[in-house]
Amino acid sequence: MEILDGKKVSNDIKNEITIEVDKMKSRGEKVPHLAAIIVGSDGASLTYVGSKVKACERVGFESTLVKMPSTTSEVELLHKIEDLNEDDAIDGFIVQLPLPPQIDTQKILMAIDPDKDVDGFHPTNFGKMALDMSTFIPATPFGILELLERYEVDTKGKHTVVIGRSHIVGRPMSILMGRRGWPGNSTVTLTHSHTKNITQIISQADIVITALGTPNFLKAEMVKDDAVIIDVGITRVTDDTRERGYRIVGDVDFENVSKKASYITPVPGGVGPMTIAMLLKNTLLARERHKLNI
Ligand code: GUN
């Protein structure tokens, strides 16, 4: 069994990006600038956005954090998005999800200029991804592809079972694993809450990608020997022994599943850090495209 070490790989990627940024600086060029909008004060969302801003500093990007109250109206948020769309100093930006209930998420995502949509959530970019066109790939699926590639995991002709059909992870992941090329060329089954015989389907998987948010859902007896296991779950579970009062738990019973797996991502330290590294990669791409006006 080999650990797919997202912490290490994401550090490698950040170092590679830092080198690119240093080159930009030495040429006297503008460095990439990422902005993030957060609406409300959800603890987990604030932590994630904080990590994204910190990661920008680490690689030498500029960053702007826009905090808006939980009472923000849809119109107010749309105005803010318009400001960022028109601000030539900003290369890319994200709106952290989830949004408060008074705001229509799809309407917000559609208001983002696709050229600045470094999350890859705009329908234009999602469509381009599905059609194998060059675009921003959503950071979490992009991070999983990068892990598979750097560890040279064979995906061709394999049966990949994706658990969960969210727009952020499961749905794009199912498209990407079935695309021509590598990582890809998998035969994909996308499972969800209405899937019948899910246990039987999982037992036939060469690669399992679980993005459910149910702690310890995937047990050793459910997976095939030598399966590749990718755990996207990041549930906060109360833990009084920790100073912060919680710990992060994945969808996979790591202790037992790891004994059967050929490759497995830990939680924390697997997919999570990769998401941030790939957002930086998308922002670098946005800067390069912006510079060339493409
Ligand atoms: N909420 C959870 N994951 C993400 C992400 O990748 N991007 C944004 N904008 N919000 C999220």
Side-chain angles (χ1 to χ4, degrees):
M1 183 273 297
E2 191 169 0
I3 299 273
L4 297 171
D5 187 345
K7 201 169 166 191
K8 180 197 171 291
V9 174
S10 67
N11 262 320
D12 292 346
I13 293 169
K14 285 182 198 163
N15 290 337
E16 291 159 17
I17 294 173
T18 306
I19 292 169
E20 290 307 312
V21 174
D22 287 344
K23 283 188 206 161
M24 289 173 158
K25 282 182 185 159
S26 67
R27 292 193 295 257
E29 290 172 14
K30 178 188 173 310
V31 299
H33 188 157
L34 174 73
I37 304 178
I38 177 151
V39 184
S41 52
D42 174 67
S45 291
L46 281 169
T47 305
Y48 298 144
V49 171
S51 307
K52 290 171 186 180
V53 169
K54 224 167 93 185
C56 284
E57 285 167 17
R58 148 96 155 78
V59 299
F61 285 5
E62 287 189 48
S63 62
T64 298
L65 179 58
V66 181
K67 283 187 176 170
M68 302 179 80
S70 58
T71 50
T72 301
S73 71
E74 196 172 275
V75 169
E76 284 166 330
L77 182 54
L78 286 169
H79 280 143
K80 192 71 226 171
I81 289 170
E82 208 39 56
D83 289 347
L84 295 179
N85 281 344
E86 284 168 13
D87 186 344
D88 204 44
I90 305 287
D91 298 296
F93 67 96
I94 63 161
V95 178
Q96 187 65 26
L97 304 179
L99 290 167
Q102 74 274 17
I103 298 174
D104 178 344
T105 301
Q106 211 53 47
K107 206 163 161 184
I108 294 304
L109 296 179
M110 284 179 71
I112 298 173
D113 177 350
D115 291 334
K116 293 192 176 188
D117 170 38
V118 284
D119 256 333
F121 294 165
H122 190 285
T124 296
N125 289 326
F126 205 92
K128 283 184 169 178
M129 175 197 69
L131 294 169
D132 296 338
M133 295 165 75
S134 165
T135 188
F136 301 113
I137 294 174
T140 301
F142 196 11
I144 294 170
L145 293 185
E146 191 78 17
L147 269 181
L148 295 172
E149 192 175 332
R150 294 205 183 206
Y151 281 87
E152 299 181 0
V153 177
D154 189 14
T155 58
K156 186 169 79 179
K158 304 290 183 189
H159 183 200
T160 294
V161 173
V162 179
I163 308 171
R165 58 180 159 184
S166 74
H167 293 173
I168 295 180
V169 185
R171 188 80 57 85
M173 202 66 236
S174 67
I175 295 167
L176 291 162
M177 289 302 283
R179 293 204 310 187
R180 211 180 285 278
W182 175 71
N185 282 334
S186 258
T187 304
V188 181
T189 304
L190 178 60
T191 64
H192 46 77
S193 50
H194 291 277
T195 300
K196 292 199 175 97
N197 304 324
I198 191 163
T199 323
Q200 193 202 341
I201 294 168
I202 294 169
S203 73
Q204 293 165 357
D206 301 303
I207 301 170
V208 181
I209 302 173
T210 168
L212 207 57
T214 305
N216 295 318
F217 162 79
L218 195 75
K219 303 277 194 291
E221 56 272 22
M222 293 162 78
V223 303
K224 207 160 91 163
D225 278 334
D226 294 325
V228 176
I229 310 292
I230 309 288
D231 189 351
V232 193
I234 39 161
T235 307
R236 285 183 174 201
V237 172
T238 307
D239 185 344
D240 294 334
T241 67
R242 307 280 171 114
E243 201 179 316
R244 58 187 179 181
Y246 66 88
R247 68 195 148 89
I248 302 289
V249 180
D251 288 351
V252 177
D253 173 9
F254 183 88
E255 193 189 335
N256 295 307
V257 174
S258 59
K259 290 175 187 149
K260 272 179 108 174
S262 55
Y263 295 91
I264 187 166
T265 60
V267 175
V271 175
M274 290 301 295
T275 298
I276 294 183
M278 302 320 275
L279 175 66
L280 297 175
K281 228 174 161 167
N282 277 343
T283 306
L284 182 64
L285 176 66
R287 175 66 216 141
E288 282 162 357
R289 287 180 165 186
H290 190 172
K291 186 176 77 182
L292 298 170
N293 236 336
I294 55 171

